[in-house]
Amino acid sequence: MRRILAVLGFVLLASCQSDEGAPTPQFHATENPQSLSEWGMLRATRDTLLTGSGVEPYDLNTPLFSDHAGKFRTIWMPEGASARYSEEEVFDFPVGTVITKTFYYPVAEDGQLLRGDRPADIWAAPDTLDLASVHLVETRILVRRETGWVALPYVWNEDQTDAVLMRTGDMQHFVLADGGGEIEVNYLVPNANQCQGCHATNNTTREIQPIGPAARHLNRDFDYGDGPVNQIDHLVAAGYLTGAPSPDEAPQAPDWTDTRVPVEARARAWLDINCAHCHNPAGSADTSGLYLDPGTPMGPNFGLCKVPIAAGPGSGGHRFDIVPGRPEESILIFRMESLRPDVMMPELGRSVIHEESLALLRDWISGLEGDCS
């Protein structure tokens, strides 16, 4: 596992070393560079992937599922700029902020691609620090300009030396080794409209927003090289965040894989990061009446014994979104089990079924008490 996650560990270490040799970040206020390297956030050398000066890595308590890809996230702001803390919403980031998310698959010693989303201490210092340990797929940039946020997808070239802007998106086929078997992935790099489909979290304004950088997702420890430090504290110390309370006073979403946490909290954390950017009272799925955000209490709006609205084939002939004690009769499970484009949920970002999250949600629904009759 140490070799599999080598490059990602090196990226972390490189960000904590001196800035000698690190790229210089650039805020492009209007133009969209054709190459990722022109942003100066990340740079691939012959052996390693470097982060730019002042570019801070971060992770989420529970990440979005994306066809078993691993993800490396960074954030950068211009000198003197900082985000304003929010208790519930994504932080209010200043103009000039650049957020990156790099998607990759680990490479085994025999060259086989592997899943990158296995629970593991991915930030442990590795023995091998070379790009042969991962296959970089794409890096998505969210940049905050005067006119609002802009999403730009960059696809890594075959030589893994740089990534090229692909506004029209891309599709790539991968075969991942998985416990003696294989998983075939038709990996989708979203186009500009598809980026807006998820990141336009308010269906009225249709403005693009980040999804992950909120207090509940960031409130966790991260090893920046000198031992674990709370990410909120680190962002405050770096000058990137103002107005934040101490971490023990901030909300915290659980890690959905942490079996020490009650199953309902884990299930809601998974639904929050994977579904709530659309399924909330203001989101693009607002007319569905199904709200999976943390502020919605357990009840009909969260799907319990709720009749679907205009679901069409998405109902699968089932009567309710969630039937307590009966996951096999719940529309939520039916749609997560499907790969039909007009049925599957989430509808973007996956071409395979995520068996682990399905198992969690089945367990949660099986334990719910009640009767929809």
Side-chain angles (χ1 to χ4, degrees), residues 213-228:
R216 64 186 181 277
H217 302 310
L218 293 177
N219 190 3
R220 55 163 291 168
D221 286 349
F222 188 101
D223 192 343
Y224 291 88
D226 296 323

Side-chain angles (χ1 to χ4, degrees), residues 9-348:
F10 181 81
V11 174
L12 174 69
L13 295 177
S15 69
C16 301
Q17 296 169 351
S18 69
D19 293 337
E20 183 178 357
T24 301
Q26 301 290 329
F27 167 53
H28 298 275
T30 55
E31 69 274 18
N32 299 323
Q34 289 301 301
S35 298
L36 177 67
S37 56
E38 296 178 61
W39 288 91
M41 305 297 155
L42 301 167
R43 185 179 69 196
T45 67
R46 184 181 64 177
D47 300 317
T48 59
L49 188 64
L50 297 176
T51 53
S53 175
V55 175
E56 297 289 349
Y58 69 94
D59 202 10
L60 306 181
N61 283 312
T62 289
L64 180 77
F65 174 75
S66 303
D67 274 345
H68 299 300
K71 299 168 188 174
F72 177 65
R73 301 170 178 84
T74 72
I75 188 168
W76 175 85
M77 299 177 209
E79 185 175 359
S82 59
R84 290 194 295 271
Y85 177 85
S86 172
E87 186 80 6
E88 298 179 357
E89 305 298 328
V90 169
F91 297 158
D92 183 9
F93 291 97
V95 171
T97 300
V98 180
I99 297 174
T100 78
K101 183 163 61 172
T102 297
F103 297 72
Y104 68 92
Y105 289 107
V107 181
E109 292 184 358
D110 62 0
Q112 177 72 58
L113 296 184
L114 305 171
R115 290 177 55 169
D117 63 340
R118 293 292 194 188
D121 181 15
I122 60 176
W123 307 114
D127 295 325
T128 306
L129 306 175
D130 65 301
L131 280 172
S133 299
V134 298
H135 176 77
L136 304 174
V137 182
E138 62 161 325
T139 296
R140 300 179 192 173
I141 279 184
L142 276 177
V143 54
R144 177 68 169 87
R145 292 171 170 164
E146 290 285 355
T147 55
W149 288 94
V150 175
L152 301 171
Y154 287 82
V155 177
W156 283 87
N157 59 25
E158 185 176 348
D159 295 333
Q160 301 277 276
T161 56
D162 206 346
V164 179
L165 180 63
M166 297 286 285
R167 294 294 298 270
T168 57
D170 192 24
M171 179 75 76
Q172 299 185 27
H173 180 76
F174 301 111
V175 179
L176 312 178
D178 180 43
E182 292 183 339
I183 301 175
E184 293 197 32
V185 170
N186 293 314
Y187 185 95
L188 175 69
V189 177
N191 60 39
N193 289 333
Q194 289 167 325
C195 289
Q196 186 175 26
C198 286
H199 284 277
T201 55
N202 186 300
N203 200 34
T204 300
T205 65
R206 301 301 296 166
E207 293 179 353
I208 290 179
Q209 294 283 344
I211 295 173
R216 64 186 181 277
H217 302 310
L218 293 177
N219 190 3
R220 55 163 291 168
D221 286 349
F222 188 101
D223 192 343
Y224 291 88
D226 296 323
V229 177
N230 183 274
Q231 291 184 137
I232 293 177
D233 281 344
H234 181 79
L235 290 174
V236 171
Y240 279 1
L241 182 62
T242 61
S246 63
D248 58 358
E249 296 177 342
Q252 183 179 47
D255 175 353
W256 76 280
T257 66
D258 187 351
T259 56
R260 297 170 299 178
V261 176
V263 66
E264 180 176 315
R266 294 164 54 210
R268 291 199 61 151
W270 193 92
L271 292 169
D272 176 15
I273 194 66
N274 283 275
C275 310
H277 48 274
C278 290
H279 283 278
N280 68 77
S284 59
D286 56 351
T287 58
S288 71
L290 178 63
Y291 306 141
L292 302 175
D293 57 294
T296 298
M298 291 296 296
N301 282 130
F302 207 82
L304 296 184
C305 299
K306 176 188 167 301
V307 177
I309 300 174
S315 69
H318 303 302
R319 296 179 58 197
F320 305 105
D321 288 341
I322 297 174
V323 182
R326 297 183 178 274
E328 71 281 358
E329 297 180 12
S330 300
I331 296 173
L332 177 70
I333 298 299
F334 170 73
R335 302 194 77 165
M336 287 182 59
E337 288 177 326
S338 178
L339 293 178
R340 278 184 49 175
D342 60 340
V343 172
M344 62 186 289
M345 285 288 172
E347 59 187 356
L348 290 176

